[in-house]
Amino acid sequence: MRELSLHILDAVQNSIEADANRIYVKIREDFGRDKLIIEIEDNGKGMTPEFLKEVLDPFKTTRKTRHVGLGLPLFSAAAKNCNGDFKITSKKDKGTKITATFQYSHIDRAPLGDIVSTILAILCSDKEIDLFYHHQVDNKKFEFNTQKLKKILGNIPLANINAIKWLKSYLKYNFKELYKNGGV
Amino acid sequence: MPKIKSLEELRKLREETIKSMRVRKSTSTKITVGMGTCGIAAGAREVMHAILDELEKRKIDANVITVGCIGLCAEEPLVTIERGGQPGITYGKINVEKVPKLIEEHLIKGDIIDEWVISRG
Ligand SMILES: Nc1ncnc2c1ncn2[C@@H]1O[C@H](COP(=O)(O)OP(=O)(O)OP(=O)(O)O)[C@@H](O)[C@H]1O
Ligand SMILES: [Mg+2]
């Protein structure tokens, strides 16, 4: 995919489909160690160790009979092509955690891209979920979570067009601050 | 609209908005955008963004909702519009360029764009 934020959206979609209602997205841009680390953790239905093995190895010939999708293999390839690493840990009925690591300065690393659009697309999900977002660029950080937002919005749903307008403005401002002096 | 920098400002704005809109009935227009892997790869996130922009530009009140894969990967991005109790109309292969026309025809004029429809009801 053209942007890492699209992989994030896709992975969160997996979490939502796994019936998670708490999803943690953690991004760390560490210029000093030349690393970009993306973590997505959920409390969804998880995977058995057997299933997990196949998800990590999508090019096994069982592909036709078993449902092995494209999302995770694409994310994994993106990380590994950038001198990085891709790890999934999962516990049946407990949840799943994905960690993708990239060499920050790698020539093939896709940009993080439009993270605001990714967050809005997650917040507009038809499922009742809470997102906990944490983003660190060098030593600056921005975090927010939907539990706080929902408290402020009260009876206005997150998907309400005015709420989305406010959030877009809020997120855009805070990312601009986060990326002042540096970042890509 | 003023720039919102903090959640405190959001709280203030919410109260003002609620006061000014008083007891307006909540919208019955729902726009659904498919966000499965195929949809995302085909540009569904950008389509959703374009829909939000267009609604804002034309001051149309609607709820925009994202859903997972519905198994019509070849037709992605998929957009379904439901209005006031009427059955939903699903459009296929919607891209950013098609969004203004889609909103204009379906939501403003109330006309369905038959050539883009892939399923009804
Ligand atoms: N967070 C998660 N929790 C539980 N199961 C998961 C999670 N992420 C992935 N899976 C399982 O792994 C499978 C493969 O995921 P992957 O994203 O690669 O493909 P997919 O979602 O099935 O299809 P695609 O992404 O191509 O539309 C999923 O079908 C699901 O069973
Ligand atoms: Mg997937």
Side-chain angles (χ1 to χ4, degrees), chain A residues 31-48:
Chain A
F31 304 144
R33 286 164 59 223
D34 195 21
K35 274 190 196 314
L36 171 68
I37 304 160
I38 298 171
E39 273 174 29
I40 295 146
E41 193 172 358
D42 67 56
N43 68 346
K45 65 181 171 214
M47 292 173 257
T48 60

Side-chain angles (χ1 to χ4, degrees), chain A residues 10-11 13-14 17 69-72, chain B residues 37:
Chain A
D10 190 43
Q13 222 58 46
N14 281 345
E17 261 147 53
L70 280 175
L72 294 176
Chain B
T37 303

Side-chain angles (χ1 to χ4, degrees), chain A:
Chain A
M1 298 212 195
R2 308 172 301 280
E3 300 177 4
L4 299 183
S5 56
L6 290 171
H7 286 294
I8 295 173
L9 176 55
D10 190 43
V12 168
Q13 222 58 46
N14 281 345
S15 300
I16 294 173
E17 261 147 53
D19 298 325
N21 58 15
R22 291 171 78 91
I23 301 167
Y24 300 80
V25 173
K26 213 168 157 184
I27 301 173
R28 182 142 176 232
E29 302 181 50
D30 188 334
F31 304 144
R33 286 164 59 223
D34 195 21
K35 274 190 196 314
L36 171 68
I37 304 160
I38 298 171
E39 273 174 29
I40 295 146
E41 193 172 358
D42 67 56
N43 68 346
K45 65 181 171 214
M47 292 173 257
T48 60
E50 300 78 54
F51 193 92
L52 196 57
K53 254 189 227 144
E54 285 170 20
V55 166
L56 289 168
D57 192 3
F59 301 112
K60 280 232 160 90
T61 49
T62 47
R63 207 165 175 187
K64 270 184 211 135
T65 45
R66 242 171 241 125
H67 186 119
V68 175
L70 280 175
L72 294 176
L74 284 174
F75 201 175
S76 170
K80 288 182 176 153
N81 287 342
C82 297
N83 197 15
D85 191 24
F86 191 79
K87 263 198 227 113
I88 312 178
T89 54
S90 188
K91 260 208 180 107
K92 190 80 194 131
D93 300 323
K94 285 270 189 295
T96 301
K97 181 176 176 181
I98 290 174
T99 309
T101 310
F102 300 78
Q103 183 192 333
Y104 197 92
S105 62
H106 198 284
I107 186 136
D108 291 327
R109 183 179 68 78
L112 196 52
D114 188 356
I115 191 75
V116 172
S117 282
T118 280
I119 294 173
L120 293 180
I122 296 168
L123 298 187
C124 287
S125 166
D126 61 328
K127 300 279 163 51
E128 188 59 43
I129 54 154
D130 276 307
L131 174 70
F132 298 80
Y133 186 86
H134 180 108
H135 193 149
Q136 187 167 346
V137 177
D138 237 3
N139 52 12
K140 283 205 279 185
K141 73 178 176 206
F142 167 59
E143 43 189 341
F144 87 99
N145 72 66
T146 50
Q147 286 185 332
K148 244 191 214 156
L149 279 177
K150 285 175 185 170
K151 226 178 261 165
I152 294 172
L153 291 170
N155 55 350
I156 301 177
L158 271 181
N160 172 286
I161 196 84
N162 280 313
I164 290 294
K165 246 189 320 194
W166 299 335
L167 288 173
K168 203 159 93 182
S169 159
Y170 170 69
L171 293 170
K172 276 199 173 145
Y173 174 82
N174 279 285
F175 281 111
K176 219 166 91 195
E177 286 295 300
L178 192 62
Y179 284 116
K180 252 186 204 164
N181 353 298
V184 181

